Amino acid sequence: MRITELELRRARLPLVEPFRTAHGEEHARDVLLVRVAGPDGEGWGECAALPEPTYSPEYVDGAHDVIARHLGPRLLAGRDPAEVRGHPMARAALELAVLDAELRAEGRSFATHLGAVRDRVPAGVAVGIVDDVGALLDAVERRLAEGYRRVKLKVQPGWDLEPVRAVRDRFGDIALHVDANGSYTRADVEHLARLDELDLLMIEQPLPEDDLLGHALVASKLTTPVCLDESITSAATAETAIELGACSIVNVKAGRVGGYLEARRVHDTCAAHGVPVWCGGMLETGIGRAANVALAALPNFTLTGDLSASDRWFATDLTEPFVLEDGHLRVPTGPGLGVTIRHDVLDAVTTSVTRL
């Protein structure tokens, strides 16, 4: 499809409640959206980058700059944006917009294009770090009442064994796992092994992303399965991590690996090794959530992902809201991403527009 116009739109959506992890606390989502257009129609993408480079080296201002100055001009000139090294979240947003435009023009859904095999996917929810155990128990109780099929607790040194044990004691055999966002070191292995008592689905990214050998050490000492998130940046790194014994589960985030086509390759690599995957989230609006739900419908996504309903994060979404149905989200079936932009909502929260 020939692309003749590219628009970068910045928006700010308040979160319905603050969300705290080992990377910091967010009160609003600073969104970077990409719109591409040509003679055959338009498409939208969403960038997963955060305001600060705390989850990964990318951040939203940098992603905006690299699309405006490097990726976008190459696309409009008919050159390959893959000439630009790095910047996977920026590349993923641009790729998604182009795919959405192409598939809308063809009348095919994004889910069909990726190879989805389900029409709905189970929804899990992440609960951030809070001020005390009582507040944590209240938050988990609220999410379970809403119908979520799996709960993920954010942990960090000083906030791990006691709160996780309290949740297990209070709610029994719920599907439960923890996410450390790389906040521990190899010196904490014996401490982390105490989580084995709590019958968790997994411990996600216990060590920094560049320490695959350390993760192999953790995996050898724990009976709790080790899942990697930040460490997995491509299908190649997934294969290396699996061969090293650094993980037995992989979290797939399309933005982190450079796009949904590479995310599908990560899925295929893990499937070939018998390693299950699940879909991670980055507080996406309905645009990015539509793509994530489609991705999570692929066959090797056998574990519940971070695919919350729209109202988990936003009072009003940028598309028609994703709503829990018996603990599941429907996979959009319309052309492209299968969602419609609510332009009145988008215009109200837009902070800037850049057109190429």
Side-chain angles (χ1 to χ4, degrees):
M1 178 177 180
R2 185 164 65 93
I3 303 300
T4 58
E5 180 183 347
L6 188 149
E7 177 183 287
L8 298 174
R9 186 179 286 255
R10 301 289 291 273
R12 184 173 176 83
L13 278 75
L15 299 181
V16 295
E17 64 182 26
F19 185 65
R20 192 192 317 169
T21 73
H23 294 312
E25 184 169 275
E26 292 187 69
H27 295 264
R29 178 81 170 110
D30 291 310
V31 184
L32 169 59
L33 300 177
V34 180
R35 184 184 72 87
V36 299
D40 298 320
E42 69 174 18
W44 289 80
E46 178 175 348
C47 183
L50 299 179
E52 297 184 3
T54 51
Y55 170 77
S56 79
E58 286 188 89
Y59 60 104
V60 68
D61 287 341
H64 183 283
D65 183 71
V66 77
I67 295 173
R69 296 178 57 190
H70 301 286
L71 295 170
R74 280 173 168 79
L75 178 69
L76 293 172
R79 296 168 59 189
D80 187 358
E83 295 174 349
V84 176
R85 304 290 296 274
H87 306 281
M89 291 184 177
R91 289 189 288 110
L94 186 60
E95 177 198 84
L96 182 58
V98 173
L99 285 171
D100 184 38
E102 290 177 342
L103 291 167
R104 285 181 188 274
E106 295 172 10
R108 290 200 301 139
S109 75
F110 189 66
T112 298
H113 180 70
L114 289 180
V117 296
R118 292 182 285 272
D119 60 5
R120 64 177 199 160
V121 297
V125 67
V127 177
I129 296 167
V130 294
D131 292 331
D132 57 65
V133 171
L136 176 65
L137 294 175
D138 289 344
V140 172
E141 184 172 43
R142 185 165 69 252
R143 300 310 170 195
L144 291 174
E146 290 168 349
Y148 285 101
R149 293 301 184 98
R150 185 270 286 145
V151 173
K152 178 172 83 173
L153 304 179
K154 294 289 186 176
V155 295
Q156 65 183 15
W159 180 264
D160 45 34
L161 295 175
E162 179 189 1
V164 177
R165 182 174 288 110
V167 170
R168 178 58 83 203
D169 290 345
R170 172 77 171 271
F171 300 105
D173 62 351
I174 62 169
L176 183 66
H177 92 247
V178 298
D179 179 10
N181 289 118
S183 58
Y184 295 88
T185 71
R186 296 189 193 190
D188 297 310
V189 170
E190 296 303 323
H191 177 75
L192 292 172
R194 296 176 61 189
L195 290 169
D196 287 343
E197 308 163 8
L198 301 175
D199 191 28
L200 301 174
L201 294 174
M202 68 190 82
I203 177 170
E204 183 184 349
Q205 197 68 44
L207 309 185
E209 64 270 17
D210 59 354
D211 193 3
L212 289 182
L213 291 178
H215 280 104
L217 173 66
V218 173
S220 72
K221 299 291 187 181
L222 274 63
T223 58
T224 303
V226 172
C227 170
L228 289 182
D229 173 1
E230 290 94 329
S231 295
I232 306 300
T233 57
S234 65
T237 57
E239 186 155 28
T240 297
I242 293 167
E243 290 179 352
L244 287 173
C247 65
S248 54
I249 299 171
V250 166
N251 167 349
V252 182
K253 287 180 179 158
R256 193 189 64 235
V257 302
Y260 287 85
L261 299 183
E262 183 65 17
R264 185 173 63 184
R265 286 187 281 269
V266 174
H267 162 277
D268 295 346
T269 296
C270 292
H273 287 276
V275 171
V277 300
W278 56 278
C279 184
M282 294 288 288
L283 283 67
E284 289 90 350
T285 72
I287 297 169
R289 195 168 308 278
N292 286 347
V293 170
L295 180 67
L298 269 64
N300 194 42
F301 281 87
T302 57
L303 299 172
T304 301
D306 288 339
L307 299 169
S308 308
S310 294
D311 63 6
R312 166 67 179 95
W313 302 116
F314 310 114
T316 305
D317 208 339
L318 299 182
T319 67
E320 59 270 32
F322 280 85
V323 179
L324 282 185
E325 300 176 8
D326 187 30
H328 292 71
L329 297 179
R330 290 278 176 186
V331 178
T333 57
L337 291 175
V339 293
T340 302
I341 306 298
R342 301 170 69 176
H343 287 283
D344 57 334
V345 177
L346 178 57
D347 289 343
V349 297
T350 292
T351 57
S352 71
V353 179
T354 302
R355 294 185 176 90
L356 281 70

